[in-house]
Amino acid sequence: IEQVIPPPPPPPPPAAPEVIEVVEDEEEVEETVIESTETDQEQEIMEVEDVEVEEVIEDVEVPFAVIENVPIFPGCESMKNNEARKACMSEKVSKLVNRKFNTELGGELGLSGINKIFVQFKIDKSGNITNIRSRAPHPRLQKEAERVIKLLPKMTPGKQRGKPVGVLYSLPITFKVED
């Protein structure tokens, strides 16, 4: 039996040498001198006795999904826990939007099929609806979404660590335009 040894593969073609282009610097870069903060031997060291720290109450915003105590929509006060209050609020917001949103607008604007509008708003630390923002396939749909969200009632504000905080709420509105 004769064994046939295949010829070795041809060597790869030589790679073209890389051309490196030298570009002259055109801008002068100013060096930043960093001063030392070390004190010298002669400098007097002052004693610090009382430092007053002013507590700054910042405007905190917490997403609805992670808030410790969700805002309470009127009519959801009897719910025993956060999850039940979240579900109650989501249901009430959806009901209001479904009742008040003018779905005829889609057809009037010549849109077809399924349309999505993304709305985000804040329930501020007083329970008011503020900072309404929306994204939609048409500016009139954005305005309509904002108009409907403004109809939401004042709520009991959400709380984080026992303090009222602003809560961000996102709501997708989807509707179908029948041809």
Side-chain angles (χ1 to χ4, degrees), residues 75-107:
C76 298
E77 296 87 355
S78 62
M79 300 297 149
K80 296 288 175 250
N81 63 32
N82 230 17
E83 288 310 308
R85 287 192 195 112
K86 274 184 187 179
C88 180
M89 179 174 166
S90 295
E91 184 187 326
K92 297 229 181 225
V93 169
S94 294
K95 269 188 183 161
L96 183 132
V97 170
N98 289 337
R99 237 185 12 253
K100 301 290 186 180
F101 192 89
N102 177 6
T103 52
E104 304 296 309
L105 202 54

PDB file of all heavy atoms in Angstrom, residues 75-107:
ATOM      1  N   GLY A  75     -58.765  56.023  46.123  1.00  0.00           N
ATOM      2  CA  GLY A  75     -59.550  54.795  45.970  1.00  0.00           C
ATOM      3  C   GLY A  75     -58.714  53.554  46.242  1.00  0.00           C
ATOM      4  O   GLY A  75     -59.238  52.457  46.363  1.00  0.00           O
ATOM      5  N   CYS A  76     -57.392  53.698  46.337  1.00  0.00           N
ATOM      6  CA  CYS A  76     -56.513  52.539  46.597  1.00  0.00           C
ATOM      7  C   CYS A  76     -56.023  52.527  48.048  1.00  0.00           C
ATOM      8  O   CYS A  76     -55.181  51.709  48.405  1.00  0.00           O
ATOM      9  CB  CYS A  76     -55.306  52.568  45.652  1.00  0.00           C
ATOM     10  SG  CYS A  76     -55.719  52.453  43.900  1.00  0.00           S
ATOM     11  N   GLU A  77     -56.542  53.429  48.881  1.00  0.00           N
ATOM     12  CA  GLU A  77     -56.056  53.549  50.269  1.00  0.00           C
ATOM     13  C   GLU A  77     -56.271  52.274  51.082  1.00  0.00           C
ATOM     14  O   GLU A  77     -55.510  51.986  51.993  1.00  0.00           O
ATOM     15  CB  GLU A  77     -56.757  54.711  51.002  1.00  0.00           C
ATOM     16  CG  GLU A  77     -56.474  56.071  50.445  1.00  0.00           C
ATOM     17  CD  GLU A  77     -57.410  56.482  49.293  1.00  0.00           C
ATOM     18  OE1 GLU A  77     -58.237  55.678  48.839  1.00  0.00           O
ATOM     19  OE2 GLU A  77     -57.292  57.637  48.861  1.00  0.00           O
ATOM     20  N   SER A  78     -57.317  51.512  50.760  1.00  0.00           N
ATOM     21  CA  SER A  78     -57.641  50.327  51.568  1.00  0.00           C
ATOM     22  C   SER A  78     -56.708  49.141  51.277  1.00  0.00           C
ATOM     23  O   SER A  78     -56.712  48.162  52.010  1.00  0.00           O
ATOM     24  CB  SER A  78     -59.085  49.908  51.301  1.00  0.00           C
ATOM     25  OG  SER A  78     -59.221  49.553  49.928  1.00  0.00           O
ATOM     26  N   MET A  79     -55.903  49.251  50.217  1.00  0.00           N
ATOM     27  CA  MET A  79     -54.989  48.153  49.885  1.00  0.00           C
ATOM     28  C   MET A  79     -53.960  47.992  51.007  1.00  0.00           C
ATOM     29  O   MET A  79     -53.409  48.967  51.485  1.00  0.00           O
ATOM     30  CB  MET A  79     -54.268  48.423  48.560  1.00  0.00           C
ATOM     31  CG  MET A  79     -55.191  48.566  47.373  1.00  0.00           C
ATOM     32  SD  MET A  79     -56.069  47.037  47.090  1.00  0.00           S
ATOM     33  CE  MET A  79     -57.599  47.663  46.415  1.00  0.00           C
ATOM     34  N   LYS A  80     -53.696  46.740  51.379  1.00  0.00           N
ATOM     35  CA  LYS A  80     -52.873  46.460  52.555  1.00  0.00           C
ATOM     36  C   LYS A  80     -51.370  46.599  52.324  1.00  0.00           C
ATOM     37  O   LYS A  80     -50.639  46.947  53.227  1.00  0.00           O
ATOM     38  CB  LYS A  80     -53.168  45.059  53.088  1.00  0.00           C
ATOM     39  CG  LYS A  80     -54.594  44.909  53.586  1.00  0.00           C
ATOM     40  CD  LYS A  80     -54.812  45.648  54.901  1.00  0.00           C
ATOM     41  CE  LYS A  80     -56.248  45.595  55.339  1.00  0.00           C
ATOM     42  NZ  LYS A  80     -56.969  46.853  55.269  1.00  0.00           N
ATOM     43  N   ASN A  81     -50.876  46.264  51.116  1.00  0.00           N
ATOM     44  CA  ASN A  81     -49.427  46.321  50.924  1.00  0.00           C
ATOM     45  C   ASN A  81     -49.055  47.044  49.636  1.00  0.00           C
ATOM     46  O   ASN A  81     -49.912  47.394  48.829  1.00  0.00           O
ATOM     47  CB  ASN A  81     -48.815  44.918  50.981  1.00  0.00           C
ATOM     48  CG  ASN A  81     -49.330  44.017  49.868  1.00  0.00           C
ATOM     49  OD1 ASN A  81     -49.641  44.486  48.767  1.00  0.00           O
ATOM     50  ND2 ASN A  81     -49.431  42.739  50.145  1.00  0.00           N
ATOM     51  N   ASN A  82     -47.771  47.257  49.488  1.00  0.00           N
ATOM     52  CA  ASN A  82     -47.226  47.982  48.341  1.00  0.00           C
ATOM     53  C   ASN A  82     -47.631  47.358  47.003  1.00  0.00           C
ATOM     54  O   ASN A  82     -48.009  48.059  46.079  1.00  0.00           O
ATOM     55  CB  ASN A  82     -45.699  48.000  48.454  1.00  0.00           C
ATOM     56  CG  ASN A  82     -45.137  49.390  48.286  1.00  0.00           C
ATOM     57  OD1 ASN A  82     -45.837  50.396  48.387  1.00  0.00           O
ATOM     58  ND2 ASN A  82     -43.859  49.455  48.005  1.00  0.00           N
ATOM     59  N   GLU A  83     -47.499  46.018  46.906  1.00  0.00           N
ATOM     60  CA  GLU A  83     -47.817  45.330  45.646  1.00  0.00           C
ATOM     61  C   GLU A  83     -49.279  45.564  45.266  1.00  0.00           C
ATOM     62  O   GLU A  83     -49.590  45.836  44.112  1.00  0.00           O
ATOM     63  CB  GLU A  83     -47.524  43.823  45.739  1.00  0.00           C
ATOM     64  CG  GLU A  83     -46.046  43.486  45.755  1.00  0.00           C
ATOM     65  CD  GLU A  83     -45.234  44.163  44.638  1.00  0.00           C
ATOM     66  OE1 GLU A  83     -45.627  44.056  43.464  1.00  0.00           O
ATOM     67  OE2 GLU A  83     -44.225  44.811  44.960  1.00  0.00           O
ATOM     68  N   ALA A  84     -50.172  45.457  46.245  1.00  0.00           N
ATOM     69  CA  ALA A  84     -51.603  45.655  45.979  1.00  0.00           C
ATOM     70  C   ALA A  84     -51.861  47.108  45.572  1.00  0.00           C
ATOM     71  O   ALA A  84     -52.649  47.381  44.666  1.00  0.00           O
ATOM     72  CB  ALA A  84     -52.425  45.290  47.210  1.00  0.00           C
ATOM     73  N   ARG A  85     -51.162  48.057  46.234  1.00  0.00           N
ATOM     74  CA  ARG A  85     -51.338  49.477  45.887  1.00  0.00           C
ATOM     75  C   ARG A  85     -50.809  49.760  44.486  1.00  0.00           C
ATOM     76  O   ARG A  85     -51.383  50.544  43.737  1.00  0.00           O
ATOM     77  CB  ARG A  85     -50.619  50.364  46.897  1.00  0.00           C
ATOM     78  CG  ARG A  85     -51.336  50.418  48.223  1.00  0.00           C
ATOM     79  CD  ARG A  85     -50.792  51.524  49.108  1.00  0.00           C
ATOM     80  NE  ARG A  85     -51.238  51.321  50.467  1.00  0.00           N
ATOM     81  CZ  ARG A  85     -50.442  51.002  51.479  1.00  0.00           C
ATOM     82  NH1 ARG A  85     -49.155  50.878  51.284  1.00  0.00           N
ATOM     83  NH2 ARG A  85     -50.927  50.831  52.674  1.00  0.00           N
ATOM     84  N   LYS A  86     -49.665  49.126  44.126  1.00  0.00           N
ATOM     85  CA  LYS A  86     -49.108  49.285  42.766  1.00  0.00           C
ATOM     86  C   LYS A  86     -50.113  48.797  41.735  1.00  0.00           C
ATOM     87  O   LYS A  86     -50.387  49.473  40.749  1.00  0.00           O
ATOM     88  CB  LYS A  86     -47.820  48.457  42.603  1.00  0.00           C
ATOM     89  CG  LYS A  86     -46.568  49.144  43.042  1.00  0.00           C
ATOM     90  CD  LYS A  86     -45.364  48.257  42.731  1.00  0.00           C
ATOM     91  CE  LYS A  86     -44.105  48.859  43.330  1.00  0.00           C
ATOM     92  NZ  LYS A  86     -42.914  48.062  43.095  1.00  0.00           N
ATOM     93  N   ALA A  87     -50.648  47.603  41.967  1.00  0.00           N
ATOM     94  CA  ALA A  87     -51.605  47.009  41.028  1.00  0.00           C
ATOM     95  C   ALA A  87     -52.848  47.884  40.914  1.00  0.00           C
ATOM     96  O   ALA A  87     -53.341  48.144  39.810  1.00  0.00           O
ATOM     97  CB  ALA A  87     -51.975  45.597  41.478  1.00  0.00           C
ATOM     98  N   CYS A  88     -53.339  48.377  42.058  1.00  0.00           N
ATOM     99  CA  CYS A  88     -54.528  49.228  42.085  1.00  0.00           C
ATOM    100  C   CYS A  88     -54.279  50.519  41.299  1.00  0.00           C
ATOM    101  O   CYS A  88     -55.086  50.922  40.466  1.00  0.00           O
ATOM    102  CB  CYS A  88     -54.900  49.545  43.538  1.00  0.00           C
ATOM    103  SG  CYS A  88     -56.358  50.603  43.717  1.00  0.00           S
ATOM    104  N   MET A  89     -53.132  51.132  41.545  1.00  0.00           N
ATOM    105  CA  MET A  89     -52.807  52.387  40.849  1.00  0.00           C
ATOM    106  C   MET A  89     -52.684  52.157  39.345  1.00  0.00           C
ATOM    107  O   MET A  89     -53.241  52.902  38.551  1.00  0.00           O
ATOM    108  CB  MET A  89     -51.517  52.993  41.376  1.00  0.00           C
ATOM    109  CG  MET A  89     -51.153  54.271  40.641  1.00  0.00           C
ATOM    110  SD  MET A  89     -49.724  55.044  41.387  1.00  0.00           S
ATOM    111  CE  MET A  89     -49.314  56.200  40.116  1.00  0.00           C
ATOM    112  N   SER A  90     -51.956  51.104  38.945  1.00  0.00           N
ATOM    113  CA  SER A  90     -51.777  50.815  37.522  1.00  0.00           C
ATOM    114  C   SER A  90     -53.128  50.612  36.841  1.00  0.00           C
ATOM    115  O   SER A  90     -53.362  51.112  35.751  1.00  0.00           O
ATOM    116  CB  SER A  90     -50.907  49.576  37.325  1.00  0.00           C
ATOM    117  OG  SER A  90     -49.604  49.839  37.812  1.00  0.00           O
ATOM    118  N   GLU A  91     -54.019  49.897  37.533  1.00  0.00           N
ATOM    119  CA  GLU A  91     -55.348  49.621  36.977  1.00  0.00           C
ATOM    120  C   GLU A  91     -56.145  50.926  36.828  1.00  0.00           C
ATOM    121  O   GLU A  91     -56.752  51.174  35.793  1.00  0.00           O
ATOM    122  CB  GLU A  91     -56.075  48.649  37.910  1.00  0.00           C
ATOM    123  CG  GLU A  91     -57.431  48.219  37.395  1.00  0.00           C
ATOM    124  CD  GLU A  91     -58.189  47.393  38.435  1.00  0.00           C
ATOM    125  OE1 GLU A  91     -57.534  46.644  39.194  1.00  0.00           O
ATOM    126  OE2 GLU A  91     -59.417  47.531  38.496  1.00  0.00           O
ATOM    127  N   LYS A  92     -56.102  51.783  37.869  1.00  0.00           N
ATOM    128  CA  LYS A  92     -56.866  53.039  37.819  1.00  0.00           C
ATOM    129  C   LYS A  92     -56.319  53.990  36.750  1.00  0.00           C
ATOM    130  O   LYS A  92     -57.086  54.654  36.064  1.00  0.00           O
ATOM    131  CB  LYS A  92     -56.863  53.721  39.187  1.00  0.00           C
ATOM    132  CG  LYS A  92     -57.557  52.889  40.240  1.00  0.00           C
ATOM    133  CD  LYS A  92     -58.544  53.694  41.015  1.00  0.00           C
ATOM    134  CE  LYS A  92     -59.200  52.851  42.076  1.00  0.00           C
ATOM    135  NZ  LYS A  92     -60.621  53.047  42.127  1.00  0.00           N
ATOM    136  N   VAL A  93     -54.984  54.059  36.614  1.00  0.00           N
ATOM    137  CA  VAL A  93     -54.377  54.921  35.592  1.00  0.00           C
ATOM    138  C   VAL A  93     -54.795  54.414  34.214  1.00  0.00           C
ATOM    139  O   VAL A  93     -55.231  55.182  33.358  1.00  0.00           O
ATOM    140  CB  VAL A  93     -52.836  54.969  35.737  1.00  0.00           C
ATOM    141  CG1 VAL A  93     -52.199  55.638  34.531  1.00  0.00           C
ATOM    142  CG2 VAL A  93     -52.435  55.710  37.010  1.00  0.00           C
ATOM    143  N   SER A  94     -54.712  53.079  34.000  1.00  0.00           N
ATOM    144  CA  SER A  94     -55.089  52.493  32.709  1.00  0.00           C
ATOM    145  C   SER A  94     -56.550  52.762  32.382  1.00  0.00           C
ATOM    146  O   SER A  94     -56.885  53.107  31.249  1.00  0.00           O
ATOM    147  CB  SER A  94     -54.848  50.986  32.707  1.00  0.00           C
ATOM    148  OG  SER A  94     -53.472  50.743  32.815  1.00  0.00           O
ATOM    149  N   LYS A  95     -57.431  52.597  33.385  1.00  0.00           N
ATOM    150  CA  LYS A  95     -58.867  52.831  33.166  1.00  0.00           C
ATOM    151  C   LYS A  95     -59.112  54.263  32.721  1.00  0.00           C
ATOM    152  O   LYS A  95     -59.859  54.516  31.773  1.00  0.00           O
ATOM    153  CB  LYS A  95     -59.670  52.543  34.442  1.00  0.00           C
ATOM    154  CG  LYS A  95     -60.153  51.129  34.527  1.00  0.00           C
ATOM    155  CD  LYS A  95     -61.089  50.957  35.711  1.00  0.00           C
ATOM    156  CE  LYS A  95     -61.507  49.499  35.837  1.00  0.00           C
ATOM    157  NZ  LYS A  95     -62.017  49.189  37.164  1.00  0.00           N
ATOM    158  N   LEU A  96     -58.483  55.217  33.421  1.00  0.00           N
ATOM    159  CA  LEU A  96     -58.677  56.629  33.087  1.00  0.00           C
ATOM    160  C   LEU A  96     -58.180  56.912  31.667  1.00  0.00           C
ATOM    161  O   LEU A  96     -58.863  57.549  30.877  1.00  0.00           O
ATOM    162  CB  LEU A  96     -57.956  57.520  34.093  1.00  0.00           C
ATOM    163  CG  LEU A  96     -58.175  59.011  33.852  1.00  0.00           C
ATOM    164  CD1 LEU A  96     -58.540  59.716  35.141  1.00  0.00           C
ATOM    165  CD2 LEU A  96     -56.971  59.682  33.238  1.00  0.00           C
ATOM    166  N   VAL A  97     -57.000  56.400  31.333  1.00  0.00           N
ATOM    167  CA  VAL A  97     -56.426  56.631  30.003  1.00  0.00           C
ATOM    168  C   VAL A  97     -57.335  56.006  28.940  1.00  0.00           C
ATOM    169  O   VAL A  97     -57.642  56.635  27.929  1.00  0.00           O
ATOM    170  CB  VAL A  97     -54.974  56.090  29.913  1.00  0.00           C
ATOM    171  CG1 VAL A  97     -54.470  56.105  28.484  1.00  0.00           C
ATOM    172  CG2 VAL A  97     -54.056  56.929  30.802  1.00  0.00           C
ATOM    173  N   ASN A  98     -57.799  54.771  29.176  1.00  0.00           N
ATOM    174  CA  ASN A  98     -58.679  54.110  28.200  1.00  0.00           C
ATOM    175  C   ASN A  98     -59.982  54.869  27.998  1.00  0.00           C
ATOM    176  O   ASN A  98     -60.506  54.925  26.887  1.00  0.00           O
ATOM    177  CB  ASN A  98     -58.982  52.667  28.619  1.00  0.00           C
ATOM    178  CG  ASN A  98     -57.772  51.770  28.474  1.00  0.00           C
ATOM    179  OD1 ASN A  98     -56.861  52.059  27.705  1.00  0.00           O
ATOM    180  ND2 ASN A  98     -57.745  50.682  29.229  1.00  0.00           N
ATOM    181  N   ARG A  99     -60.510  55.450  29.079  1.00  0.00           N
ATOM    182  CA  ARG A  99     -61.772  56.187  28.999  1.00  0.00           C
ATOM    183  C   ARG A  99     -61.611  57.532  28.301  1.00  0.00           C
ATOM    184  O   ARG A  99     -62.454  57.944  27.506  1.00  0.00           O
ATOM    185  CB  ARG A  99     -62.311  56.406  30.416  1.00  0.00           C
ATOM    186  CG  ARG A  99     -63.687  55.862  30.623  1.00  0.00           C
ATOM    187  CD  ARG A  99     -64.331  56.160  31.969  1.00  0.00           C
ATOM    188  NE  ARG A  99     -63.702  57.149  32.832  1.00  0.00           N
ATOM    189  CZ  ARG A  99     -63.032  56.862  33.940  1.00  0.00           C
ATOM    190  NH1 ARG A  99     -62.848  55.608  34.304  1.00  0.00           N
ATOM    191  NH2 ARG A  99     -62.528  57.806  34.685  1.00  0.00           N
ATOM    192  N   LYS A 100     -60.507  58.242  28.617  1.00  0.00           N
ATOM    193  CA  LYS A 100     -60.375  59.629  28.177  1.00  0.00           C
ATOM    194  C   LYS A 100     -59.555  59.835  26.906  1.00  0.00           C
ATOM    195  O   LYS A 100     -59.651  60.876  26.277  1.00  0.00           O
ATOM    196  CB  LYS A 100     -59.723  60.474  29.301  1.00  0.00           C
ATOM    197  CG  LYS A 100     -60.496  60.464  30.601  1.00  0.00           C
ATOM    198  CD  LYS A 100     -61.782  61.230  30.494  1.00  0.00           C
ATOM    199  CE  LYS A 100     -62.485  61.333  31.838  1.00  0.00           C
ATOM    200  NZ  LYS A 100     -63.727  62.077  31.747  1.00  0.00           N
ATOM    201  N   PHE A 101     -58.718  58.844  26.527  1.00  0.00           N
ATOM    202  CA  PHE A 101     -57.839  59.032  25.368  1.00  0.00           C
ATOM    203  C   PHE A 101     -58.659  58.974  24.087  1.00  0.00           C
ATOM    204  O   PHE A 101     -59.451  58.065  23.869  1.00  0.00           O
ATOM    205  CB  PHE A 101     -56.751  57.955  25.341  1.00  0.00           C
ATOM    206  CG  PHE A 101     -55.656  58.254  24.350  1.00  0.00           C
ATOM    207  CD1 PHE A 101     -54.556  59.000  24.728  1.00  0.00           C
ATOM    208  CD2 PHE A 101     -55.742  57.814  23.033  1.00  0.00           C
ATOM    209  CE1 PHE A 101     -53.551  59.295  23.818  1.00  0.00           C
ATOM    210  CE2 PHE A 101     -54.740  58.103  22.124  1.00  0.00           C
ATOM    211  CZ  PHE A 101     -53.644  58.847  22.514  1.00  0.00           C
ATOM    212  N   ASN A 102     -58.456  59.971  23.227  1.00  0.00           N
ATOM    213  CA  ASN A 102     -59.192  60.036  21.962  1.00  0.00           C
ATOM    214  C   ASN A 102     -58.504  59.152  20.916  1.00  0.00           C
ATOM    215  O   ASN A 102     -57.614  59.591  20.214  1.00  0.00           O
ATOM    216  CB  ASN A 102     -59.251  61.497  21.493  1.00  0.00           C
ATOM    217  CG  ASN A 102     -59.942  61.643  20.145  1.00  0.00           C
ATOM    218  OD1 ASN A 102     -60.476  60.688  19.585  1.00  0.00           O
ATOM    219  ND2 ASN A 102     -59.921  62.848  19.622  1.00  0.00           N
ATOM    220  N   THR A 103     -58.982  57.899  20.803  1.00  0.00           N
ATOM    221  CA  THR A 103     -58.349  56.964  19.864  1.00  0.00           C
ATOM    222  C   THR A 103     -58.725  57.280  18.416  1.00  0.00           C
ATOM    223  O   THR A 103     -58.084  56.791  17.497  1.00  0.00           O
ATOM    224  CB  THR A 103     -58.735  55.506  20.180  1.00  0.00           C
ATOM    225  OG1 THR A 103     -60.146  55.423  20.272  1.00  0.00           O
ATOM    226  CG2 THR A 103     -58.102  55.046  21.486  1.00  0.00           C
ATOM    227  N   GLU A 104     -59.766  58.116  18.226  1.00  0.00           N
ATOM    228  CA  GLU A 104     -60.166  58.509  16.861  1.00  0.00           C
ATOM    229  C   GLU A 104     -59.047  59.312  16.200  1.00  0.00           C
ATOM    230  O   GLU A 104     -58.959  59.375  14.979  1.00  0.00           O
ATOM    231  CB  GLU A 104     -61.438  59.383  16.900  1.00  0.00           C
ATOM    232  CG  GLU A 104     -62.612  58.730  17.605  1.00  0.00           C
ATOM    233  CD  GLU A 104     -63.096  57.483  16.890  1.00  0.00           C
ATOM    234  OE1 GLU A 104     -63.342  57.557  15.677  1.00  0.00           O
ATOM    235  OE2 GLU A 104     -63.168  56.430  17.556  1.00  0.00           O
ATOM    236  N   LEU A 105     -58.215  59.940  17.027  1.00  0.00           N
ATOM    237  CA  LEU A 105     -57.147  60.808  16.532  1.00  0.00           C
ATOM    238  C   LEU A 105     -56.221  60.071  15.568  1.00  0.00           C
ATOM    239  O   LEU A 105     -55.797  60.629  14.559  1.00  0.00           O
ATOM    240  CB  LEU A 105     -56.349  61.330  17.742  1.00  0.00           C
ATOM    241  CG  LEU A 105     -55.548  62.602  17.571  1.00  0.00           C
ATOM    242  CD1 LEU A 105     -56.411  63.741  17.049  1.00  0.00           C
ATOM    243  CD2 LEU A 105     -54.932  63.007  18.902  1.00  0.00           C
ATOM    244  N   GLY A 106     -55.936  58.791  15.866  1.00  0.00           N
ATOM    245  CA  GLY A 106     -55.059  57.997  15.005  1.00  0.00           C
ATOM    246  C   GLY A 106     -55.563  57.942  13.570  1.00  0.00           C
ATOM    247  O   GLY A 106     -54.815  58.170  12.616  1.00  0.00           O
ATOM    248  N   GLY A 107     -56.856  57.648  13.407  1.00  0.00           N
ATOM    249  CA  GLY A 107     -57.467  57.582  12.077  1.00  0.00           C
ATOM    250  C   GLY A 107     -57.478  58.942  11.402  1.00  0.00           C
ATOM    251  O   GLY A 107     -57.169  59.063  10.202  1.00  0.00           O
TER     252      GLY A 107
END
